[in-house]
Amino acid sequence: MTRVQISGVGKRYPGRGKGAAEVVAVDDVSIDIASGEIHAIIGYSGAGKSTMLRLINGLERVSSGSILVGDSDIATMGERELRRERTEIGMIFQHFNLFRSKTVAQNVAYPLVVAGVATAERRERVAELLSFVGLGDKARAFPEQLSGGQKQRVGIARALATNPGVLLADEATSALDPETSQEVLALLKKVNADLGITIILITHEMEVVRSIAHRVTVMDGGKAVEQGDVFDVFASPKTETTRRFVATALPTQPDPEHLRRLQQKHRGKLVSVTFRDGGVDQPVVFRTLAERGIGVNIVHGGVTEVGGRSFGKLTLELIGDELQVEHGIAALGQQTDLEVLV
Ligand code: ADP
């Protein structure tokens, strides 16, 4: 069980070319990741995610701040200590980074060979790892004979070989189709739940965050602009960047163009209602409207699961006498998050 404490971390690169300004890739970022947590760092291209990951595994050195992995400060560690510490930190990659000329078993065994583990123990461990990731029958296959999802399973088995406390995932599902992505994410969930491994993943896909993360940090321009439990961040995003990400993974309110089209088709009042765990139930909303003789059309949206809790937004067309509809809206407004769109 390993906690990762990132405190006030900055990374500057010299500008490219003479007189070019310094690049601040990571700017005063602090993230406290509890042991056993799945933490997602999300941001658009250039936000500083990859740099952050390279700083956590010690491939690059911080310009300021500290990074504690367990009790060890990665930021100030010597090279030799760092090499030892890296067996504590497993990593998987977008393009899997497998050795093409080695079999699946040899790929998984590689970190154990480097660590000087004896042959018999290595064999046993590789068999156990392959069975854990569901590739017990592929030990002798070569990477090119595998599908993308299977390759990432090999990557995960290899990353787990030295029993790390932390697993770093660098856009681990970005090269996979949606269905295979979900399978790999399910395996990462199992790694976290069964082995108690802390997982830090960087991604530009909010769907990945929604499916498996417990907590999330949103990065923008090198800064951590938003941070918290995934459900809270999804339910009430505070920055425009986060709102844009949330919109990609949730059935939310229609955008202005979509709203214009809905208006042309639907003559009634359009309202958006938010549903969340612990909030008002859908039956209550529909009963409130029905009791006032208001007809309802669901014209957009849906409900999904975020951080294991249900959340959603529905856009409703309310049909009926104008005064009745006004009263219905007032009644609902007291019970739930309701926004009148048009
Ligand atoms: P992301 O992974 O979110 O796309 P990066 O961490 O790759 O973002 O990059 C953050 C910023 O730092 C970008 O402006 C990028 O150009 C810059 N950067 C990254 N690595 C280097 C480097 N080795 N030298 C100079 N600038 C870099």
Side-chain angles (χ1 to χ4, degrees), residues 13-14 16 23-25 43-52 54 60 202:
Y13 293 109
R16 293 185 177 116
V23 178
V24 182
Y44 293 107
S45 178
K49 310 178 296 290
S50 317
T51 304
M52 198 64 238
R54 291 198 300 272
E60 295 213 44
I202 64 169

Side-chain angles (χ1 to χ4, degrees), residues 84-301:
R84 204 172 322 122
E85 186 61 27
R86 283 217 190 91
T87 62
E88 256 304 291
I89 306 174
M91 182 142 172
I92 57 172
F93 307 87
Q94 180 175 7
H95 297 295
F96 324 120
N97 296 14
L98 302 178
F99 296 108
R100 293 173 56 189
S101 59
K102 291 187 195 293
T103 63
V104 164
Q106 286 166 342
N107 266 283
V108 175
Y110 184 75
L112 300 171
V113 174
V114 173
V117 174
T119 315
E121 192 185 335
R122 222 161 58 207
R123 287 226 174 92
E124 199 175 319
R125 179 87 184 116
V126 169
E128 185 183 280
L129 287 160
L130 286 178
S131 144
F132 182 81
V133 302
L135 292 177
D137 56 341
K138 297 284 183 204
R140 288 164 192 278
F142 284 90
E144 65 190 21
Q145 298 169 302
L146 303 180
S147 69
Q150 290 172 328
K151 283 183 198 161
Q152 195 56 294
R153 285 170 186 272
V154 177
I156 292 170
R158 181 180 60 183
L160 298 179
T162 56
N163 273 320
V166 180
L167 178 66
L168 305 180
D170 182 1
E171 298 279 6
T173 56
S174 300
L176 305 173
D177 62 64
E179 200 176 316
T180 313
S181 288
Q182 285 303 330
E183 282 169 26
V184 168
L185 293 174
L187 177 58
L188 289 176
K189 250 189 197 170
K190 183 170 115 162
V191 166
N192 173 256
D194 293 5
L195 310 175
I197 294 179
T198 306
I199 299 181
I200 304 174
L201 47 93
I202 64 169
T203 182
H204 65 280
E205 294 171 308
M206 204 58 172
E207 181 53 27
V208 170
V209 181
R210 187 190 71 72
S211 323
I212 69 162
H214 302 126
R215 301 204 321 130
V216 59
T217 296
V218 182
M219 284 190 74
D220 195 4
K223 290 188 162 60
V225 293
E226 201 154 340
Q227 215 164 50
D229 283 347
V230 167
F231 184 86
D232 296 339
V233 171
F234 267 76
S236 33
K238 293 185 176 53
T239 62
E240 188 49 36
T241 306
T242 311
R243 265 192 287 278
R244 278 169 63 198
F245 274 123
V246 168
T248 61
L250 279 190
T252 54
Q253 281 171 221
D255 59 37
E257 175 51 35
H258 188 175
L259 191 58
R260 253 192 307 278
R261 285 202 307 276
L262 288 174
Q263 250 182 300
Q264 283 165 3
K265 267 203 343 229
H266 303 279
R267 297 285 161 208
K269 202 106 183 135
L270 295 178
V271 298
S272 161
V273 183
T274 301
F275 296 96
R276 48 171 69 99
D277 255 11
V280 66
D281 287 339
Q282 292 182 48
V284 173
V285 170
F286 291 111
R287 206 178 314 124
T288 303
L289 294 169
E291 278 166 6
R292 288 171 172 73
I294 301 168
V296 183
N297 246 334
I298 299 173
V299 296
H300 180 77

